[in-house]
Amino acid sequence: ERRELWEDDFSWAGYRWMGTEERDTNTISYVRYDRAGMPLLIAVNFSAVPCEEYTMKLPADAPAVYEELFTTDDDAWGGSGYHNEGRLTAEPAMASDNSETYRCLKVSLPAMSAVIFAPVKRQRRS
């Protein structure tokens, strides 16, 4: 159902790494885009330890409000049933040297899980 996950598989336009230097926490995060530029945020925790305040660094032009669309930790899949409830807001941020602006979305990642977040209001990237 989600074009973001398959529509632009053979182009870098459909994919962007967000968290690649997270070997200490055993996590990764990335964005998938459909051809219209609609994003889905994906975060994966390979650790047996939950990440309570995992920060996803998003492009400055990313939508501001997200909700959890799917988690492998859902009790329907044999998980603990932990969810990021309600709407989550990505706050504006700036690099310490003022060279870059971006958004930070803080989420909780259950242990040994993958979580997908979708913008509440679908917004194309610019």
Side-chain angles (χ1 to χ4, degrees):
E1 290 179 23
R2 300 303 300 225
R3 293 177 181 270
E4 300 92 327
L5 295 174
W6 57 265
E7 191 172 68
D8 214 355
D9 270 352
F10 302 103
S11 164
W12 282 108
Y15 183 89
R16 179 187 284 180
W17 279 110
M18 290 189 305
T20 59
E21 297 295 324
E22 298 168 342
R23 64 182 163 269
D24 294 338
T25 59
N26 295 316
T27 58
I28 60 170
S29 57
Y30 55 96
V31 182
R32 289 297 311 259
Y33 297 99
D34 66 11
R35 289 189 184 134
M38 300 296 181
L40 278 184
L41 311 179
I42 296 112
V44 183
N45 181 2
F46 294 99
S47 170
V49 178
C51 293
E52 294 300 326
E53 291 236 340
Y54 181 77
T55 301
M56 300 174 85
K57 184 177 173 184
L58 311 175
D61 63 349
V65 182
Y66 295 84
E67 59 191 355
E68 184 179 280
L69 183 66
F70 175 82
T71 177
T72 59
D73 195 52
D74 193 297
D75 52 10
W77 314 116
S80 70
Y82 182 84
H83 291 277
N84 288 273
E85 298 293 336
R87 294 182 173 189
L88 308 166
T89 301
E91 301 295 335
M94 184 173 290
S96 59
D97 62 359
N98 295 329
S99 64
E100 174 188 23
T101 58
Y102 53 92
R103 290 187 184 273
C104 286
L105 181 67
K106 292 191 182 213
V107 300
S108 293
L109 294 181
M112 306 296 290
S113 66
V115 185
I116 300 175
F117 300 91
V120 171
K121 180 179 179 188
R122 294 179 52 83
Q123 171 184 325
R124 292 177 177 86
R125 65 180 165 192
S126 42

